Amino acid sequence: MSTRTIRTAAALRPAGQWEQAIPLPAFAPVEAAAPLRQPRSRQPERPVYRAPAPRRRRKRRLAGAVVRLAVVALCGWALLRVLGQTQGALADGIDRAKALFSVTVGMNAEAPEAFGVPEVEPVLQNPTLPNGCEAASLATLLRCAGVEADAAELAMEWIPRQEFSYSGPDRFGPDPEEAYAGDPTSPSGGWYCFAAPVVQGANNYLAFIGSSLRAQDLTGASFAKLEQQLADGRPVAVWFTQDYADPRFSEGFTWTLPSGEEYTPYANLHCLVLAGVEGGDCLLADPLSGNTRVDKDTFERIYTAMGSRALAVR
């Protein structure tokens, strides 16, 4: 069997012929090459929210609460300033409203027809104190407050008083704003005093017996303020007239005050207790005539004409 030899073209080509026949490609310089593709630009990353630590959250909440409280306090202070500026102008209206509606029930309830202490039992001044209505009225107030007191003892030992003195035709006596003039046990030698000496005597007596109660001078109080005292359950001693008529002055009887001024006293001055209001009437505990009543208009007119003098024990 004969052997056949197969020769390829590469084998038949002389050495170095391939390299000459197939030229190598020429490569462009590096600087002329196409630029490399730049990576796509990315949007800046948003900051990642991190919840504050628990302690930091508590501090922030506390700071916020402090700021809110400061704002509320500032608003409240401003409101109180505004209310304080108008308080004087509204005082009488507020007092009257309190007196009228203090015992009402519900938003649509009507004002009460009666309030105060209408069951007050007056301490009568006669026969011991024919001119001691102030002491008798004070004893009435004290008994209503639960304090036993003798009217004659109050008049002679506790309420400041001064007898008249004479120098020739001149008569000298105390200022009724400071002391009782004369002798309250005398039918003709006693006159009166106003609220301040009675309050002084009452407080000295209350302190002596160890009571925490005190008398309060309400001179100048409006009728609305008296109604408020009644609505709070406190009767009030007021300076009035004996005959429930307009005040009159004495004719021919005067005295010289410590200031040197000549004083003409009232001829029908009286002190009694305003115990309550019922409908259109004022309920009175009168040390001369017992429990009586007078219409509110008459009471307010006479009370005002006598200088709006009053006192209460609380």
Side-chain angles (χ1 to χ4, degrees):
M1 183 174 179
S2 60
T3 302
R4 191 174 60 178
T5 302
I6 300 176
R7 297 183 178 183
T8 63
L12 295 177
R13 188 175 57 221
Q17 185 178 358
W18 177 264
E19 290 80 0
Q20 297 176 0
I22 303 175
L24 294 174
F27 293 95
V30 175
E31 52 272 17
L36 296 176
R37 178 178 297 177
Q38 297 295 325
R40 180 177 299 176
S41 61
R42 297 180 180 180
Q43 297 293 332
E45 295 183 358
R46 296 181 178 178
V48 179
Y49 173 76
R50 292 180 175 84
R55 181 177 300 177
R56 188 178 303 170
R57 288 199 300 270
R58 287 195 296 270
K59 290 183 177 180
R60 290 180 178 177
R61 287 197 296 267
L62 179 60
V66 170
V67 171
R68 288 192 293 271
L69 287 175
V71 172
V72 171
L74 182 60
C75 293
W77 175 80
L79 179 60
L80 289 176
R81 286 291 301 273
V82 173
L83 292 177
Q85 293 174 357
T86 59
Q87 183 177 6
L90 298 177
D92 285 347
I94 292 174
D95 289 337
R96 184 175 292 274
K98 287 182 179 179
L100 291 176
F101 298 103
S102 60
V103 294
T104 57
V105 180
M107 294 297 293
N108 298 322
E110 296 181 356
E113 294 184 358
F115 55 89
V117 192
E119 69 277 8
V120 170
E121 186 66 28
V123 174
L124 300 179
Q125 63 188 85
N126 286 321
T128 307
L129 297 170
N131 281 302
C133 55
E134 300 91 348
S137 294
L138 175 59
T140 300
L141 296 185
L142 292 175
R143 292 185 182 184
C144 287
V147 176
E148 284 298 321
D150 180 75
E153 179 185 352
L154 293 173
M156 301 303 292
E157 298 182 20
W158 296 100
I159 298 176
R161 66 185 185 90
Q162 179 181 332
E163 298 280 358
F164 292 105
S165 62
Y166 298 86
S167 176
D170 298 324
R171 182 186 297 110
F172 299 90
D175 186 339
E177 297 285 1
E178 298 176 355
Y180 181 92
D183 181 1
T185 64
S186 170
S188 60
W191 286 86
Y192 55 79
C193 65
F194 294 133
V198 180
V199 169
Q200 179 182 344
N203 288 336
N204 288 340
Y205 175 75
L206 290 169
F208 177 77
I209 65 174
S211 173
S212 61
L213 296 172
R214 290 295 180 267
Q216 181 182 9
D217 191 342
L218 301 177
T219 296
S222 66
F223 181 67
K225 290 186 178 180
L226 301 186
E227 289 180 312
Q228 180 59 48
Q229 295 288 326
L230 297 175
D232 292 339
R234 285 188 294 272
V236 184
V238 298
W239 272 251
F240 212 60
T241 57
Q242 293 179 355
D243 49 8
Y244 298 8
D246 292 335
R248 301 186 307 274
F249 290 93
S250 174
E251 296 180 2
F253 190 94
T254 63
W255 67 81
T256 303
L257 300 178
S259 64
E261 178 184 358
E262 185 177 15
Y263 182 77
T264 301
Y266 290 101
N268 60 341
L269 180 142
H270 192 37
C271 181
L272 48 76
V273 174
L274 174 63
V277 175
E278 185 177 72
D281 291 341
C282 292
L283 308 179
L284 307 177
D286 190 330
L288 277 177
S289 54
N291 291 113
T292 63
R293 64 173 62 208
V294 66
D295 66 272
K296 291 199 311 185
D297 292 339
T298 299
F299 176 88
E300 189 168 4
R301 185 184 75 252
I302 298 175
Y303 166 73
T304 303
M306 293 300 295
S308 300
R309 293 179 168 92
L311 70 87
V313 174
R314 56 185 304 173

